[in-house]
Amino acid sequence: AEMFGQLTSGLEAAWSKLKGEEVLTKENIVEPMRDIRRALLEADVSLPVVRRFVQSVSEDAVGTGVVRGVRPDQQLVKVVGDELVKLMGGEVSELVFAKSAPTVILLAGLQGVGKTTVSAKLALYLKKLGKSCMLIAGDVYRPAAIDQLVMLGEQVGVPVYAAGTGIKPAEIARQGLAEAKKNNVDVVIMDTAGRLQIDKAMMDELKDVKQVLNPTEVLLVVDAMTGQEAAALVATFNVEIGITGAILTKLDGDSRGGAALSVKEVSGKPIKLVGRGERMEDLEPFYPDRMAGRVLG
Ligand code: GDP
């Protein structure tokens, strides 16, 4: 299925209602706006976001007046496109590097969202930017996750600091960071233990790890398939531990768009990177304008 396919066709219904009109008016955009609202809600964009979005598109659309040579339906497409870009944060939100090495990136997230995969993908991504990296296997409750990270590290050619499961997350963070400093590594990426749901133990662990690492980036990994729930998670983690952004995974699946469109507005934090497949190469920056282009079809 084409990503955002349903959203794209829902929006097309809105444009088609303007065929034959000569100018956008308060009256003739009522029906198209209803379609846009419905399409966004069906894509699992959170309700307050949809409300504000529809409000601002309506105002902009009526305010544009007659643009010579541009049909009203094309005008509305343009307004919606611009608003979508804004909604997703406008510009690309680049990863930040520490002034003095090592830059420390802490990854958090619930189980199964793709955190371990993202850790290795991110190491490869940074390696391609010319940075030397080290991974810390901090998912200390799942031996399988540690083994998986060690294996992926080998695959992408990045060393993995692992100390088994009989160790506290904050302690392995401390050891791993010391090792990275000793080896003059540019970037340290720490994978952490997820849970099926948010719980206090996980948040407390993350706080402890964060205190030890003093990370430049704290990125929450969220699954695009979970829609607006992903945006709510980003907001919650930000309040609880303080994060710098999100990584949205599984954008290659038939995600409806709710997560990509809601995260920034709901949490105030940008999506920095997206995962678009299971291969190690499938991680790229989140470009709001390209994403809006995909939504419009
Ligand atoms: P963790 O529990 O958060 O560490 O999740 P894992 O990294 O083990 O990933 C869980 C599953 O999701 C694995 O089967 C991954 O291959 C898969 N996965 C992760 N990222 C992506 C992605 O961007 N696209 C697809 N299709 N699958 C992904």
Side-chain angles (χ1 to χ4, degrees):
E2 178 57 31
M3 182 178 50
F4 305 151
Q6 205 185 352
L7 176 53
T8 305
S9 48
L11 292 173
E12 271 157 11
W15 328 136
S16 70
K17 302 250 161 79
L18 289 166
K19 290 275 152 64
E21 298 286 339
E22 290 182 350
V23 60
L24 294 174
T25 66
K26 244 191 166 110
E27 290 72 35
N28 70 13
I29 65 158
V30 170
E31 274 289 315
M33 289 318 300
R34 226 174 256 152
D35 291 333
I36 291 172
R37 180 187 159 88
R38 191 180 309 122
L40 291 170
L41 288 173
E42 279 171 4
D44 203 25
V45 177
S46 87
L47 182 60
V49 174
V50 174
R51 284 206 179 113
R52 277 195 295 275
F53 186 87
V54 166
Q55 170 98 32
S56 30
V57 168
S58 308
E59 284 166 10
D60 289 1
V62 176
T64 51
V66 181
V67 183
R68 207 198 297 246
V70 182
R71 298 194 319 256
D73 56 329
Q74 295 168 328
Q75 257 173 271
L76 187 60
V77 172
K78 170 83 168 67
V79 171
V80 168
D82 290 347
E83 284 293 335
L84 284 174
V85 175
K86 254 195 257 171
L87 183 62
M88 289 184 275
E91 300 290 308
V92 177
S93 212
E94 307 274 359
L95 283 177
V96 175
F97 296 100
K99 285 204 184 72
S100 56
T103 293
V104 180
I105 302 177
L106 176 60
L107 295 178
L110 297 182
Q111 231 171 66
V113 295
K115 195 160 28 64
T116 304
T117 312
V118 159
S119 305
K121 281 178 171 176
L122 185 55
L124 177 63
Y125 175 85
L126 293 168
K127 198 179 152 187
K128 285 182 179 165
L129 293 181
K131 313 264 182 203
S132 62
C133 296
M134 195 189 95
L135 287 156
I136 303 176
D139 193 346
V140 297
Y141 302 110
R142 292 192 308 148
I146 298 175
D147 294 345
Q148 188 195 349
L149 191 66
V150 169
M151 202 189 73
L152 293 175
E154 261 167 39
Q155 203 178 314
V156 299
V158 169
V160 178
Y161 187 86
T165 51
I167 182 169
K168 281 212 162 109
E171 178 55 21
I172 189 168
R174 196 188 59 73
Q175 291 178 10
L177 182 59
E179 182 74 10
K181 284 180 175 163
K182 204 172 78 192
N183 296 325
N184 290 315
V185 166
D186 295 327
V187 186
V188 189
I189 301 163
M190 177 153 170
D191 184 20
T192 56
R195 302 285 197 282
L196 291 174
Q197 286 156 351
I198 286 185
D199 68 22
K200 187 171 179 303
M202 171 175 55
M203 290 299 184
D204 287 345
E205 267 170 28
L206 285 169
K207 284 176 201 165
D208 290 348
V209 168
K210 191 182 170 192
Q211 196 170 8
V212 168
L213 292 179
N214 188 23
T216 312
E217 293 276 9
V218 182
L219 301 172
L220 185 72
V221 183
V222 287
D223 180 341
M225 305 296 281
T226 60
Q228 62 173 299
E229 181 55 29
L233 273 178
V234 177
T236 303
F237 272 78
N238 186 43
V239 169
E240 286 281 330
I241 58 170
I243 63 172
T244 55
I247 298 179
L248 194 58
T249 60
K250 307 186 192 179
L251 259 190
D252 53 314
D254 52 358
S255 92
R256 289 174 293 168
L261 295 176
S262 307
V263 164
K264 180 69 203 295
E265 181 110 343
V266 167
S267 70
K269 294 291 164 180
I271 296 169
K272 295 205 167 191
L273 298 157
V274 293
R276 305 196 54 199
E278 296 192 78
R279 297 176 317 145
M280 286 295 104
E281 294 77 20
D282 297 328
L283 183 78
E284 55 188 57
F286 179 73
Y287 299 103
D289 54 346
R290 288 187 206 172
M291 204 59 74
R294 284 201 197 113
V295 169
L296 294 178

